Amino acid sequence: MEKQNSRYRWVVFAAVLFAYFLIVSQRTAPGLITDQLMVDFKVTASTIGLLTSVQFLAYASLQVPIGLLSDRYGPNLFLIVGALLNGIGTVMYSLAPNEYFLLVARLLVGIGDATIWVNLVLILSQWFKVKEFISLLGFAGMSGSLGFLMATFPFSAWIDLTGWRVAFLTIGILLCLCGFILYYVLVKKPNQLFKQEKKKKTTLEKSESTIVLLRRLVTDRQAWATFLCHFGLVGTYVGFIGSWAVPYGIHMYDMTRSEASQLIMIGLVGAIIGAPVSTWLSNRLGTIKFPYATVHLMIFLSWVTVFLFAGKPPFYLLIILFLLIGFGNGASALTFATVRQYFPMKVVGVVSGFANTGGFLSAVLLPSIFGKILDHFPGSSGYHYGFIIPVIFSLLGLIGGVLIKEKQEGVATAIHVD
């Protein structure tokens, strides 16, 4: 395929990753102004929780439908629309006069966000050969982690300097501009450069009916393996570090809120390292399964270690464990390398959506179950017993890693799948 040998593919790569970086930064940025929103809009904590829930519920519920639509109609349109919806939602958020506008704004952001990762995977699949694709997924994962990093101290400092409305308005405008840039980079320019391929795209064979495809998906061992892999790595990281890491540091180690927030930073550093290192290692070894199963074992043992220390390992060990758990989240990019290697291109989108749903489902379940355990067991014993949950979830991830099937030819020969 000419696209996969052109220099232009690197322009596509840069544009898509920049959009992903900005979009990811807005997933958690509203958490920085929770207290301020409660004062400005005179709303309760439950209303703030509803704003977050609406955003992530939209994200979770649309993963498989977006995958189906992207496989059928192509990923470019959905990535462009997703960036625009994110931008419009973020602008609305910055200008909201009341909590109802905030709710609609976060719903738009959630819908837009739901389109991004699945279509990023599909676009990179189209523009890059499999061996390149695996390495570049690592950099894509790293750009997402950098987006999360931007939504911590840098964005907080920006809000302190200009106020939260100006900061969110600026990012919203940038995201809208990204939508137009993506249209030029993904649609207009390629139509000029690759006219001979435009017709090829319209000759794709008719897809099977949605019901038949979904039935095959939910009975496919490899699809469930990727679902479990993402469930075990992403959910335990996002679910705990994103929700309970700061209270954990405060209550178990007598840290200040600022000191406890550094635990999140440590996890992010691990994630930034984990994405490119794990994909590079997979390419180097010529296999996805072995390094990925090893990562899952490492994460399972990390959570077991925290549990065996009654939720309070020595602080130096805690730092190491948070780095490792973050590394595992970064390595979750190998889930989509597995999808790209094993499944035909016409279903990569829906299988990627299915796998991504696993990670999000885990991230939703873990904080709520962990919170119920904390309510039931007061004090440090609550955290001790609470860590049974990430132990179980990461064990499911390890099972997924073991269940992965690889083509006997290895990664290099998987180039011929297309």
Side-chain angles (χ1 to χ4, degrees), residues 196-277:
Q196 71 281 7
E197 292 184 17
K198 194 176 179 182
K199 291 183 180 179
K200 279 187 184 179
K201 273 294 179 191
T202 63
T203 62
L204 286 174
E205 57 188 282
K206 287 280 184 181
S207 300
E208 343 172 43
S209 73
T210 300
I211 294 176
V212 172
L213 181 57
L214 290 175
R215 187 183 300 127
R216 288 183 57 195
L217 178 67
V218 298
T219 57
D220 188 283
R221 163 182 157 172
Q222 188 80 333
W224 279 106
T226 58
F227 180 97
L228 290 173
C229 282
H230 231 52
F231 186 94
L233 288 187
V234 175
T236 53
Y237 171 82
V238 175
F240 179 76
I241 290 185
S243 299
W244 291 109
V246 171
Y248 168 72
I250 292 171
H251 291 109
M252 298 295 283
Y253 290 89
D254 296 321
M255 303 169 76
T256 65
R257 185 169 299 275
S258 176
E259 291 170 340
S261 67
Q262 292 177 20
L263 295 175
I264 299 176
M265 299 287 286
I266 292 165
L268 282 171
V269 169
I272 290 168
I273 297 170
V277 168

Side-chain angles (χ1 to χ4, degrees), residues 105-126:
R106 295 322 290 175
L107 178 61
L108 287 177
V109 168
I111 294 170
D113 197 3
T115 70
I116 301 307
W117 180 255
V118 170
N119 289 292
L120 180 150
V121 169
L122 277 171
I123 288 168
L124 295 188
S125 296
Q126 293 174 354

Side-chain angles (χ1 to χ4, degrees), residues 44-209:
T44 63
S46 61
T47 301
I48 297 297
L50 178 62
L51 294 176
T52 304
S53 298
V54 163
Q55 176 185 345
F56 289 119
L57 181 61
Y59 182 95
S61 60
L62 288 174
Q63 285 304 288
V64 171
I66 289 294
L68 284 166
L69 292 170
S70 299
D71 283 332
R72 188 157 297 185
Y73 300 108
N76 294 336
L77 171 65
F78 293 98
L79 191 69
I80 294 164
V81 170
L84 288 172
L85 285 176
N86 264 273
I88 293 168
T90 305
V91 169
M92 281 185 63
Y93 194 78
S94 71
L95 301 174
N98 56 53
E99 64 269 28
Y100 302 108
F101 272 76
L102 290 177
L103 188 66
V104 174
R106 295 322 290 175
L107 178 61
L108 287 177
V109 168
I111 294 170
D113 197 3
T115 70
I116 301 307
W117 180 255
V118 170
N119 289 292
L120 180 150
V121 169
L122 277 171
I123 288 168
L124 295 188
S125 296
Q126 293 174 354
W127 284 88
F128 293 90
K129 298 175 183 177
V130 174
K131 199 162 187 178
E132 285 181 320
F133 171 81
I134 293 173
S135 296
L136 296 178
L137 266 185
F139 288 101
M142 185 170 68
S143 72
S145 296
L146 289 172
F148 280 121
L149 189 62
M150 191 190 104
T152 55
F153 176 75
F155 202 67
S156 179
W158 187 3
I159 289 170
D160 289 340
L161 184 66
T162 64
W164 68 271
R165 289 186 183 273
V166 171
F168 280 94
L169 177 63
T170 305
I171 293 294
I173 293 171
L174 277 175
L175 281 166
C176 289
L177 288 174
C178 268
F180 292 107
I181 291 170
L182 287 172
Y183 170 75
Y184 180 81
V185 171
L186 296 175
V187 179
K188 189 171 183 180
K189 191 66 176 177
N191 284 346
Q192 296 170 358
L193 295 175
F194 307 101
K195 290 179 182 177
Q196 71 281 7
E197 292 184 17
K198 194 176 179 182
K199 291 183 180 179
K200 279 187 184 179
K201 273 294 179 191
T202 63
T203 62
L204 286 174
E205 57 188 282
K206 287 280 184 181
S207 300
E208 343 172 43
S209 73

